[in-house]
Amino acid sequence: MKMTEKEWQVELGQHLRNLRLRQNLDQREVAKRAPMALNAVKNLESGKGATVESLIKALRVLGREDWLDTLAPRVSISPLQMLKSSAPRQRVSSIRARSHV
Amino acid sequence: MKMTEKEWQVELGQHLRNLRLRQNLDQREVAKRAPMALNAVKNLESGKGATVESLIKALRVLGREDWLDTLAPRVSISPLQMLKSSAPRQRVSSIRARSHV
DNA sequence: AGTATATGGACCAAAATAAGTCTACTAAAA
DNA sequence: TTTTAGTAGACTTATTTTGGTCCATATACT
């Protein structure tokens, strides 16, 4: 069962809505504190399309901006590996990247 | 030190870029697999403004859609409390909600 | 129970912004 | 040095934001 982008958007909106209800805030109050338009909050929660900026504004009001940082790639390399690769890649290496050729 | 929305957007973009580089994909490949415009990928990673839809598309390509669900509010109520409040709220309760009055 | 209230959803139009498609240009990697 | 991933800009199309109004119904009150 794989979800479509829109289904994920709806799911994300429901999470935001739950967070808001938990703090007993109405949509107007969130919009006011963001600040952003009331309709933007509605779009966000109903999953009808929103910008990343709106998402972040809402997260800030709900006190969950820190969630954004949890996307950071989990460190899976051993400390010994760190000695080898000193500088992080800034570009992909060519061979495998050219899967579009 | 509190970050602005734009700074958060940049930070989020960097996380996405790191995830991409870890998989040795270039922006074109991500755009192709999403599918989305190359410009949308660039906007996302540079934090210059993007839609939630673009964010989700990129996350899917990078295999991190599950991250979206980690926003779900952590359950902090005791099992005893669950017996009391049966149905989840669909709206805020009135008194505290009217902070704008 | 029935009633009043106001939250949240569904619309609309205009302004703002992002997506999509292109062409150089820059700089990191080979 | 050569190759090429990533950036920057211009431009058109598509979508979102903003700011309204209307209204169904969950919630609160009598």
Side-chain angles (χ1 to χ4, degrees):
Chain A
M1 167 200 158
K2 67 174 181 182
M3 299 176 71
T4 66
E5 284 87 17
K6 290 195 175 176
E7 285 169 338
W8 275 114
Q9 242 180 309
V10 170
E11 183 127 329
L12 178 61
Q14 286 173 341
H15 290 328
L16 290 167
R17 170 171 232 269
N18 289 338
L19 286 171
R20 173 176 63 78
L21 290 174
R22 231 164 221 261
Q23 301 184 28
N24 210 40
L25 300 171
D26 60 25
Q27 294 178 335
R28 252 182 300 177
E29 185 63 18
V30 171
K32 191 165 139 193
R33 293 189 189 178
M36 64 199 286
L38 176 58
N39 265 339
V41 178
K42 290 180 180 180
N43 284 344
L44 202 47
E45 290 192 3
S46 61
K48 289 192 177 171
T51 59
V52 171
E53 188 181 354
S54 293
L55 170 62
I56 292 176
K57 280 184 178 176
L59 285 171
R60 294 192 73 179
V61 171
L62 300 171
R64 290 296 307 270
E65 324 95 283
D66 57 296
W67 173 69
L68 294 167
D69 272 335
T70 64
L71 178 62
R74 9 175 195 275
V75 180
S76 59
I77 59 175
S78 66
L80 288 176
Q81 278 282 340
M82 290 180 62
L83 296 175
K84 288 191 170 184
S85 59
S86 53
R89 270 220 172 287
Q90 296 183 7
R91 292 189 182 179
V92 301
S93 52
S94 62
I95 302 298
R96 294 192 55 200
R98 293 202 316 236
S99 56
H100 53 283
V101 176
Chain B
M1 165 203 155
K2 70 173 180 180
M3 299 175 70
T4 67
E5 285 89 16
K6 290 195 175 178
E7 286 169 336
W8 275 114
Q9 241 180 313
V10 170
E11 183 128 327
L12 178 61
Q14 286 173 341
H15 290 329
L16 290 168
R17 162 168 294 190
N18 289 339
L19 287 171
R20 174 175 61 79
L21 291 175
R22 236 166 216 256
Q23 302 184 26
N24 210 40
L25 299 172
D26 59 26
Q27 294 178 336
R28 277 196 199 91
E29 185 63 19
V30 171
K32 190 167 145 193
R33 292 189 190 178
M36 63 198 289
L38 176 59
N39 234 350
V41 178
K42 290 192 281 197
N43 284 344
L44 253 182
E45 290 192 2
S46 61
K48 288 190 177 172
T51 59
V52 171
E53 188 181 354
S54 292
L55 170 62
I56 292 176
K57 281 184 178 177
L59 285 171
R60 294 191 74 179
V61 170
L62 299 172
R64 290 296 308 269
E65 323 97 282
D66 57 296
W67 172 69
L68 294 168
D69 273 335
T70 65
L71 177 63
R74 5 178 197 277
V75 182
S76 60
I77 61 175
S78 66
L80 288 175
Q81 279 284 337
M82 291 180 61
L83 297 173
K84 287 191 170 183
S85 59
S86 52
R89 270 222 169 288
Q90 297 181 9
R91 294 188 183 176
V92 300
S93 53
S94 63
I95 304 296
R96 296 190 54 198
R98 295 201 313 239
S99 58
H100 52 282
V101 175

